[in-house]
Amino acid sequence: LSLISDIIKLSELDESSLHTETEPVDLYAVAEECFKTLGSAAEQKQLSFFLEGKPSIVTGSWKLIWELVYNLCDNAIRYTPAGGTVKVTAEDCRITVSDTGIGIPKEHQSRVFERFYRVDKSRSKETGGTGLGLSIVKHVAEQHGAVISLKSEVQKGTEIQVSFPER
């Protein structure tokens, strides 16, 4: 069901790129909603889950930006071992999700935003997910004229930052 849902989301993103309604969206408020939604998942994994920042208004679709932030946070929680940390920061037209997770090897970093791409195929059942979350992030960012940066080191963690154009 998750796979079908994510494929539908991607299909809608492909179709709606020209028809997306925009409005002022507070990145911090969106991050706060995702934080509340995923708090129990982080707690179950015994992760320290932090939200920092301040109101930061961008122009876009609240629903799509929520999808972007949710997918970044969900991935961070999935790929961070028990006892680790996930931090979400929203400020200055940027959303940053960093973790102390398993990290992404350099040779895979350019491909992680591709549909169905998985760094470690053997972990797919263990971690769940559909292999489409970061592809959804990429599509939403592109639709909003945002730029994604990724920093990651194996066994030290990952930081993904999405910088939106200033209003």
Side-chain angles (χ1 to χ4, degrees):
L1 289 175
S2 292
L3 179 60
I4 291 167
S5 175
D6 282 353
I7 289 172
I8 289 170
K9 283 176 200 163
L10 274 171
S11 181
E12 288 171 350
L13 284 168
D14 286 340
E15 287 180 23
S16 72
S17 60
L18 299 173
H19 311 307
T20 303
E21 297 276 331
T22 61
E23 61 188 322
V25 177
D26 181 355
L27 290 178
Y28 186 83
V30 172
E32 198 169 36
E33 282 298 314
C34 290
F35 186 78
K36 289 175 188 173
T37 302
L38 290 166
S40 62
E43 193 175 299
Q44 284 178 344
K45 282 193 75 177
Q46 301 171 336
L47 300 177
S48 297
F49 192 32
F50 298 101
L51 172 63
E52 297 178 347
K54 58 187 177 189
S56 180
I57 308 298
V58 299
T59 299
S61 161
W62 195 96
K63 178 183 173 192
L64 294 180
I65 293 173
W66 186 90
E67 283 290 338
L68 178 146
V69 176
Y70 178 90
N71 278 295
L72 289 175
C73 292
D74 186 51
N75 264 19
I77 291 167
R78 281 180 197 275
Y79 295 103
T80 299
T85 301
V86 174
K87 183 170 86 170
V88 183
T89 307
E91 61 188 358
D92 302 327
C93 299
R94 287 190 310 268
I95 189 85
T96 306
V97 178
S98 57
D99 63 57
T100 58
I102 62 173
I104 304 164
K106 287 260 188 257
E107 65 270 18
H108 295 280
Q109 290 180 14
S110 64
R111 300 198 57 204
V112 294
F113 294 97
E114 294 176 13
R115 293 177 188 195
F116 301 110
Y117 189 79
R118 288 185 179 274
V119 171
D120 185 352
K121 308 320 184 226
S122 66
R123 289 185 186 242
S124 59
K125 282 187 178 172
E126 179 186 317
T127 58
T130 62
L132 293 171
L134 290 179
S135 182
I136 290 170
V137 167
K138 177 184 155 198
H139 274 68
V140 172
E142 286 174 351
Q143 281 192 7
H144 288 81
V147 176
I148 301 173
S149 68
L150 171 115
K151 296 176 193 168
S152 189
E153 199 172 327
V154 175
Q155 300 306 319
K156 293 199 175 173
T158 299
E159 176 183 289
I160 298 178
Q161 184 174 85
V162 182
S163 300
F164 291 85
E166 294 191 27
R167 290 180 34 146

